[in-house]
Amino acid sequence: MRRASAERLGELQLDDAALQGLIADARRWIAHYAGPRSDLDDLVQEAMVELVVALESFRGESSVRTFAHRVVLRTTARELQRRRRTSREVMVQAVPSADDLLDPERALAGRRSLARFYVALDGLSDKLRRAFVLCAIEQLSHQEAADVEGVNLETLRARLKRARAVLEEALARDQVLATYSRRSQ
Amino acid sequence: MNRTPRSALDILTEAASAQRVPPPKVSDEEILREAFVRGGARLRRVRRRRGIAAGAVVLCALAAMALLAWWPRGPADVMTTPVSLALGEDVVHAMAGTVLDSDRSGCAPVVRMTEGAALFDVRTIGFTVAVPDGTVRVRGTVFTVVVASGLSRVDVYEGTVEVSSRDEVVVLTAGERFGGNRHAVPDALVLQGRLAARERARSAREDRPQLSEPASAGVEGFQHRSSGPASPRDRGVEESVLLAGPVERRSVASPTTPTAPTTLREPRVEPPSLEAVRALLEAGRHQDARDAILRARPTDDAQGEWALLEGDAERGLRAADRAAAAYERAATHFPPTRAAVAGYLAAVQFAAAGAPVEALAAIERWHVAERGAPLEERGVALRATLLARTGRDREARTSARAYLLAFPSGEARARMQRLLEEASVSD
C-alpha cells in the first residue's frame, strides 16, 4: 500500500520533502484551528493519515497545498468533536515566549485568555470556525480561504461575518475576556 | 493622535495568530511512515467496503429485477400481444407474466396455470388446465383462463369445457363465463379467441357433409372428428354423444382411446330448428330453449340468429351476464344494422348485470347510439343513464342534451330532463 501511495504521490510530483513541508504546514494549521493543546502531535498524525487516504482521490482541481489544507482542517474538526465527546479535559500547553519569561504573571493571564478564546471558538459550527480561522487567524485572503473551503466568495464572507457576530456575542458574555482589551491597552 | 480602540476579539485573534507552534515530539519521517502504514490499511478497508457496497448494489438490483419479474400483476396490464406456445397440436396464447407448466405424461395433457391470462385453442380432448381453485377440462374448444391472486376466471368462446371448482362442477358452453376472478380478459386474447372460434366454425362447415352421412357415425367418423378441426360447437355436441355426455357420463370413454364401439353406436339426437327454439321461448320455456340451443348445430350463416335466441333464453332465465355475452356474440355475426340491435340488447343486459362500463363499451362497439342506428333513441338514453351511473356527469349531461334535442317528445324525455337537473344540482 505504501508503494501504491508512493506511486500516486509520484504522479502528483510530491516527494518526501514536499510531504514533510506539508507536515510542518499541517502542524501550524492545526495549532491555529485547535489552539494550544497537549495532543497536537496526535492531531497532526491523524491529519496526515487522512491526507494519505484523501490523496488517492485527489483529482487536481486545486493545488495540492489547498487540498491538503482542506483535508487537515476537516480532519481536525472531526477529531476535536470526537475528543470533546470522549473527554472533557482540554490541556492547554502554550509555548512561553521571551517576554513571558520576563513577566510570568502576564504570560499566565495571556495563556488563560487564549484558552477561553478557543473555548468560545468551540461554540461556532465547523463551517463558521473554519472561515474565521482561515481569514482572521491564519490571515489568508478571502479568495484563498474560499478556495480552501471549496465555496464561493460570498458564502465565505457570509460565514466570516456570522462567525464574528457569534464570537463578539460570546466574548461580551465572558466577563474576563470583555475586559481583556481594556487591560491590554 | 487618537488610536481606535481595538475590540477584545481583534486582540484575541491577533494573540491566537501570533501563538508559537510547539515543536513536534516525533520526527516528520516517523509521522510520514505512520501515515503511510495506517493510511494504507484504511485505504484497503475503504476499497473492500466499496467492493462490498458495489456487490450489494448489484445484488439488490438483481433481487429487485427478480422480484419485479415474479411479482403477481394484473394480467391485462402486462402487455397487449400474447406469446404463442405449441403444446402438441394444441395452441396456447399466453400473456407475459403467465406462469404455465405443462405435463403430457398422462393420457391427456395437463397445463398447470398459477398466474396470468392465456387463451387455449385446443384440439386434444381431455386437455386439462389446473388452476389454483379448480380444474378446467376441455372437450375441444376455444377458451381463456385468467388467474390472479389465486382466483381464476374461465371464458368460453367456442365449444364446451367442464370446470371443476372446489365445490361444484359446471359445464360451460360458448359465451359463458365462470369464476370469482374480477380481472378482465385482455383484449388481445378476446380478439384471438373470436378469430379462433370463427376459424373453427369455418372448418366445421367444410367437414359437415362427411359428418352428416350415416356411415360417419362409426369409428372412422369419431376418429375424424376427434383429430380433425371440427366445429367446437359441433364437437361439443358430438363428444357429449359419443364420448361421455356433458358431466354425468364423462367416465365412459377416454378421449385418447376412442375404441369403445358401444359409445359410437348410440343414436344421434336430431338438432333442433330455429323455429322450434323460438316456439319454446314464446311459450316461456327458457330452460328448454337453452338446452335446445346447446344441442343445435348452426350453420355459419345462422350463428347470429342462434346467439340471439341464446341471449333471449338467458335473459328469460335472468342470467343477465350470459345473455349479454350471447347478444354480443350475435352482434359479431350480424351486418351493422342488426349488430346495433344486438349490441343494444347486450348493453341492456350488461347494465342489468351491474356492469355499466361493459354496457357503455357495447354501445360504443356496436354503434348503438349513432345517428341513423335502428335504436338510436334508446341507445342515446341508455348511454346518458350509464354515463351518469359511472360518475361521468359532464358526458352524461351532453348525452342527455343530445337526446332532448334529437327526440324532444321521446319516451325518455322526462328521465333525461331529470338527469340534467340532478347533474346541475350536484354541480
Side-chain angles (χ1 to χ4, degrees):
Chain A
M1 177 48 62
R2 172 166 186 172
R3 187 171 56 208
S5 295
E7 286 168 5
R8 175 75 179 151
L9 294 174
E11 289 170 18
L12 299 169
Q13 297 182 332
L14 284 176
D15 53 14
D16 283 356
L19 270 176
Q20 282 187 12
L22 279 179
I23 293 173
D25 286 335
R27 175 175 283 277
R28 198 182 68 252
W29 295 332
I30 294 167
H32 282 155
Y33 186 85
R37 296 174 64 99
S38 60
D39 56 356
L40 181 64
D41 285 302
D42 289 346
L43 293 174
V44 172
Q45 184 65 71
E46 287 301 325
M48 291 310 293
V49 170
E50 200 65 39
L51 185 59
V52 167
V53 175
L55 279 171
E56 281 285 312
S57 56
F58 177 60
R59 293 195 294 267
E61 291 166 352
S62 62
S63 72
V64 175
R65 186 183 164 80
T66 303
F67 178 77
H69 200 162
R70 187 185 307 162
V71 171
V72 166
L73 283 191
R74 291 185 182 185
T75 307
T76 305
R78 197 165 59 242
E79 274 297 309
L80 287 182
Q81 275 189 355
R82 192 175 65 80
R83 288 170 192 226
R84 266 201 296 274
R85 279 200 301 273
T86 54
S87 170
R88 298 174 61 84
E89 186 181 3
V90 177
M91 298 172 70
V92 178
Q93 190 185 41
V95 179
S97 64
D99 292 342
D100 292 344
L101 297 176
L102 294 175
D103 188 352
E105 192 176 335
R106 183 186 170 87
L108 181 62
R111 284 203 298 274
R112 285 183 174 168
S113 297
L114 198 58
R116 294 177 82 92
F117 174 62
Y118 271 96
V119 170
L121 275 182
D122 285 344
L124 295 176
S125 70
D126 286 342
K127 287 177 181 174
L128 297 187
R129 181 171 180 163
R130 287 199 300 268
F132 182 80
V133 168
L134 288 170
C135 295
I137 300 179
E138 291 189 22
Q139 297 178 344
L140 298 183
S141 70
H142 286 185
Q143 185 59 60
E144 287 171 332
D147 289 344
V148 169
E149 279 294 275
V151 297
N152 60 39
L153 263 179
E154 286 71 28
T155 306
L156 190 277
R157 281 176 182 148
R159 287 180 184 175
L160 183 59
K161 187 178 175 184
R162 176 75 186 140
R164 287 192 73 89
V166 173
L167 280 175
E168 294 275 12
E169 195 178 331
L171 295 186
R173 284 199 305 269
D174 190 317
Q175 295 297 321
V176 177
L177 293 178
T179 58
Y180 189 79
S181 58
R182 288 194 292 277
R183 279 191 279 114
S184 298
Q185 288 161 12
Chain B
M1 187 176 171
N2 289 335
R3 282 176 61 193
T4 307
R6 291 187 301 162
S7 69
L9 180 59
D10 292 335
I11 295 166
L12 287 165
T13 304
E14 193 178 301
S17 184
Q19 70 173 307
R20 294 175 62 191
V21 179
K25 292 173 187 168
V26 291
S27 68
D28 288 353
E29 289 78 10
E30 283 181 53
I31 290 176
L32 208 55
R33 191 181 311 121
E34 175 86 5
F36 275 124
V37 170
R38 287 176 53 195
R42 195 175 294 178
L43 271 175
R44 276 196 296 276
R45 277 202 304 276
V46 167
R47 284 175 183 157
R48 195 162 53 235
R49 282 180 194 159
R50 279 183 192 155
I52 291 170
V57 167
V58 170
L59 279 178
C60 285
L62 288 174
M65 287 166 64
L67 191 65
L68 279 174
W70 170 82
W71 194 261
R73 283 166 285 181
D77 58 5
V78 178
M79 58 180 284
T80 55
T81 310
V83 177
S84 298
L85 312 166
L87 297 173
E89 58 178 341
D90 308 314
V91 180
V92 180
H93 305 282
M95 303 298 285
T98 302
V99 183
L100 292 169
D101 175 28
S102 69
D103 178 9
R104 301 182 74 85
S105 57
C107 59
V110 176
V111 171
R112 264 173 243 294
M113 184 171 168
T114 50
E115 194 69 31
L119 170 79
F120 296 85
D121 185 355
V122 177
R123 298 176 191 284
T124 308
I125 311 300
F127 185 106
T128 302
V129 182
V131 290
D133 51 348
T135 57
V136 183
R137 209 157 77 84
V138 169
R139 297 179 162 191
T141 182
V142 178
F143 66 104
T144 56
V145 177
V146 178
V147 182
S149 310
L151 290 174
S152 58
R153 161 184 168 159
V154 182
D155 291 64
V156 181
Y157 295 87
E158 203 61 34
T160 312
V161 298
E162 175 191 304
V163 181
S164 306
S165 187
R166 287 191 179 88
D167 49 8
E168 57 184 328
V169 177
V170 180
V171 176
L172 298 178
T173 56
E176 292 186 328
R177 184 171 76 194
F178 180 83
N181 186 339
R182 288 175 163 270
H183 280 290
V185 181
D187 289 341
L189 292 187
V190 173
L191 185 66
Q192 205 125 20
R194 286 178 178 161
L195 288 173
R198 283 187 187 179
E199 181 59 32
R200 282 176 173 245
R202 191 174 298 118
S203 302
R205 193 174 50 193
E206 291 166 10
D207 292 341
R208 187 164 290 115
Q210 296 175 32
L211 295 171
S212 62
E213 290 174 14
S216 66
V219 176
E220 296 79 10
F222 171 74
Q223 285 173 339
H224 171 77
R225 284 191 293 277
S226 63
S227 59
S231 160
R233 183 174 285 268
D234 291 351
R235 286 155 55 109
V237 173
E238 291 302 324
E239 284 148 23
S240 68
V241 173
L242 298 176
L243 295 177
V247 182
E248 59 279 3
R249 289 188 291 162
R250 62 179 176 266
S251 60
V252 171
S254 166
T256 52
T257 55
T259 52
T262 52
T263 59
L264 298 174
R265 291 195 193 100
E266 284 187 23
R268 294 188 57 177
V269 178
E270 277 302 313
S273 65
L274 275 171
E275 290 71 21
V277 173
R278 282 200 187 100
L280 286 171
L281 286 172
E282 282 168 11
R285 295 168 57 190
H286 299 109
Q287 184 63 53
D288 293 341
R290 184 173 176 275
D291 293 343
I293 291 165
L294 291 179
R295 292 200 310 275
R297 298 172 54 195
T299 60
D300 200 22
D301 307 344
Q303 292 269 7
E305 294 293 344
W306 280 101
L308 205 60
L309 290 179
E310 192 179 339
D312 292 343
E314 296 290 4
R315 189 177 57 178
L317 291 168
R318 301 190 183 283
D321 54 346
R322 291 205 297 257
Y327 285 136
E328 280 242 69
R329 190 148 39 79
T332 61
H333 295 287
F334 284 145
T337 307
R338 292 201 69 193
V341 175
Y344 172 79
L345 293 171
V348 169
Q349 292 307 309
F350 275 129
V357 175
E358 285 82 351
L360 280 168
I363 288 174
E364 297 307 320
R365 189 157 46 243
W366 304 112
H367 311 288
V368 174
E370 279 189 10
R371 189 175 293 277
L375 295 173
E376 180 192 356
E377 180 190 342
R378 293 185 185 187
V380 174
L382 181 60
R383 185 170 62 184
T385 308
L386 291 169
L387 286 169
R389 202 191 295 179
T390 52
R392 293 156 67 181
D393 290 338
R394 185 181 293 178
E395 292 167 74
R397 281 201 302 273
T398 306
S399 273
R401 283 198 201 96
Y403 178 91
L404 291 171
L405 277 173
F407 312 102
S409 56
E411 286 177 3
R413 180 169 164 270
R415 188 151 46 97
M416 293 298 105
Q417 282 175 339
R418 198 163 53 247
L419 195 150
L420 273 176
E421 286 165 11
E422 284 171 3
S424 62
V425 168
S426 66
D427 283 348

